[in-house]
């Protein structure tokens, strides 16, 4: 018979879980792992938690393994490999402000892209991503 996984949380840890879940800066996976720990801390079993969180029991057990191995910090997503995006949020905001200014002045299309070095395709691609 498989070992029943449980998580014993102190009152401080319960408060930390609630505080973290209220935040809006969590990725979907990190939020799911925190929910798993919270529910296991309330006495639910792995299959019950998996059913409530709508994930595989392996995901729940992985969250427990991460938490017991490294605490709350271990529940965060690992950095994604690959080259970082060329267009940053700052670039998109600057482009949006420039487009708003140009539109208010009655200027559209080529002058905006010529003045900024952005091509028409580049502007359209950023609008789709943003």
């Amino acid at each position: 018979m498989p070992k029943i996984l449980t998580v014993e949380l102190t009152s401080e840890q319960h408060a930390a879980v609630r505080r973290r879940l209220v935040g809006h800066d969590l990725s979907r996976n990190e939020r799911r792992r925190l929910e798993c720990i919270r529910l296991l801390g309330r006495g639910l079993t792995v299959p019950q938690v998996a059913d409530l969180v709508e994930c595989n029991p392996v995901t729940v057990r992985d969250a427990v393994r991460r938490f017991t191995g490294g605490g709350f910090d271990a529940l965060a997503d690992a950095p994604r490999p690959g080259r970082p995006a060329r267009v940053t949020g700052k670039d998109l905001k600057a482009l949006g402000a420039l487009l708003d200014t140009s539109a208010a002045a009655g200027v559209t299309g080529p002058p905006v892209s010529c003045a900024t070095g952005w091509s028409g395709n580049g502007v359209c691609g950023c609008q789709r991503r943003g």
Side-chain angles (χ1 to χ4, degrees):
M1 182 162 173
K3 176 183 168 189
I4 296 176
L5 287 177
T6 59
V7 174
E8 299 290 330
L9 297 176
T10 64
S11 59
E12 293 84 22
Q13 288 175 321
H14 277 290
V17 168
R18 283 192 299 276
R19 217 175 17 258
R20 288 172 183 254
L21 284 171
V22 169
H24 297 284
D25 58 339
L26 295 175
S27 70
R28 180 182 54 153
N29 291 330
E30 187 175 357
R31 183 172 299 282
R32 177 179 289 149
R33 291 181 201 114
L34 271 170
E35 278 293 338
C36 291
I37 298 303
R38 184 183 71 83
L39 293 170
L40 285 167
R42 298 181 100 195
L44 275 66
T45 64
V46 170
Q48 290 170 330
V49 171
D51 188 43
L52 286 171
V53 180
E54 297 179 353
C55 66
N56 194 301
V58 172
T59 304
V60 178
R61 287 192 285 277
D62 178 59
V64 172
R65 181 187 53 78
R66 283 175 174 239
F67 181 73
T68 56
F72 290 115
D73 293 334
L75 296 176
D77 288 342
R80 298 288 178 207
R83 182 179 57 116
R86 289 184 183 175
V87 179
T88 65
K90 182 180 175 184
D91 294 332
L92 292 175
K93 285 182 184 179
L95 177 62
L98 183 62
L99 290 173
D100 291 341
T101 303
S102 298
V107 178
T108 60
V112 169
S113 61
C114 292
T116 62
W118 287 76
S119 68
N121 289 338
V123 171
C124 292
C126 287
Q127 289 174 335
R128 281 193 294 271
R129 284 191 299 264

